[in-house]
Amino acid sequence: MRYVLLVAILCITADQLAAQVTRIDTVSYPNPIIPKRKQYNFNTDFWYTIALRTYAYEQFPQLLNQPTGQSPTLRSSFNGVLFKINDNQVAYRLQATHFNNDITFDHECDGCAEVAGKFRNTAIKVGAEKSVNYSRFQPYFGGDLGFMIQKFNTKDQDPVVFAEDNKNAVLFSPFIGTKLYVVPRVAIGIEANFNIAYSYQKVNTYADNSFTGDPEQTKRYRWEYFFSPVAAVTLQYNFGLINQ
């Protein structure tokens, strides 16, 4: 009888222990929640850029008999366009600018404190630029080669001086700049450059107080160097996604 009771107790105990044990392979767990990686959708990789030069504060080649290093520094706005082709490494650029305004500047001549006149300058340049990085804020550097045509005609003044200055120049213009993408397709850029020019100048001075008669001519070739602290502030539009 004792053995029968012992066997019964062991069976009941084993049944209780089995009820408390759960097999691991039968337990269901909820699917783990993995945080999504933050997406960065600000794309600045575009094939083409077209820009409008909205402002500039720049030096120009010397006029008439200005002393060396005293070439005019003038402000202008909305007088140039820029087109670029980008290939993720280097941007190739073509730009054109035109200045047309009345100016006044100091002049080196007997009895002349200032000279006033009509000043026109047209420049066409091709070049390349390299961005330091490819974020929203992109510093860059590069260089342009170009050709410049410059004309200046004096106006009536006291004492009266009648003269015209025509100049052609070949340019090399290394530059540095930076641009900020406001939105993926629109950026604002600013750059400064240093210009090395080899120029041909012809100055006609008229002794009869008019642009008629035989002028006194001065012709010369020379190297010139001038700096543009704000060569261009540009508003740029980008289009044609590279990774599309």
Side-chain angles (χ1 to χ4, degrees), residues 62-226:
Q62 296 171 3
L63 296 172
L64 300 178
N65 295 320
Q66 278 187 300
T68 303
Q70 294 187 17
S71 54
T73 303
L74 306 172
R75 293 178 173 85
S76 61
S77 59
F78 298 99
N79 65 336
V81 292
L82 171 68
F83 178 73
K84 295 191 292 186
I85 300 176
N86 311 295
D87 69 353
N88 258 341
Q89 297 294 325
V90 177
Y92 305 97
R93 40 192 266 167
L94 170 66
Q95 62 178 313
T97 61
H98 179 68
F99 186 96
N100 186 354
N101 209 347
D102 293 332
I103 66 169
T104 302
F105 64 95
D106 293 332
H107 183 240
E108 190 179 68
C109 69
D110 295 335
C112 296
E114 290 184 333
V115 174
K118 188 72 170 180
F119 178 73
R120 289 162 291 178
N121 181 286
T122 301
I124 298 176
K125 298 180 180 180
V126 295
E129 69 180 53
K130 169 68 175 176
S131 293
V132 175
N133 58 50
Y134 300 98
S135 64
R136 292 184 64 174
F137 180 74
Q138 296 184 13
Y140 63 87
F141 62 92
D144 290 322
L145 290 173
F147 185 76
M148 177 180 288
I149 300 174
Q150 181 170 287
K151 296 182 178 181
F152 175 76
N153 295 328
T154 60
K155 299 176 69 175
D156 293 343
Q157 54 192 329
D158 188 18
V160 176
V161 175
F162 289 90
E164 59 183 6
D165 182 339
N166 297 314
K167 178 174 288 188
N168 298 329
V170 178
L171 303 170
F172 172 60
S173 305
F175 60 81
I176 58 172
T178 185
K179 55 188 173 182
L180 173 66
Y181 282 85
V182 182
V183 295
R185 291 186 180 271
V186 178
I188 297 173
I190 182 171
E191 67 180 56
N193 67 21
F194 179 75
N195 298 279
I196 303 170
Y198 185 68
S199 63
Y200 168 71
Q201 181 184 35
K202 182 173 72 172
V203 177
N204 295 328
T205 304
Y206 297 85
D208 61 352
N209 293 343
S210 69
F211 289 112
T212 61
D214 295 328
E216 179 184 341
Q217 284 193 348
T218 301
K219 299 179 181 180
R220 57 188 167 194
Y221 292 89
R222 63 178 174 182
W223 288 97
E224 298 187 61
Y225 311 93
F226 46 98

Side-chain angles (χ1 to χ4, degrees), residues 35-40:
K36 292 183 178 180
R37 187 172 58 184
K38 184 178 179 180
Q39 298 295 321
Y40 184 70

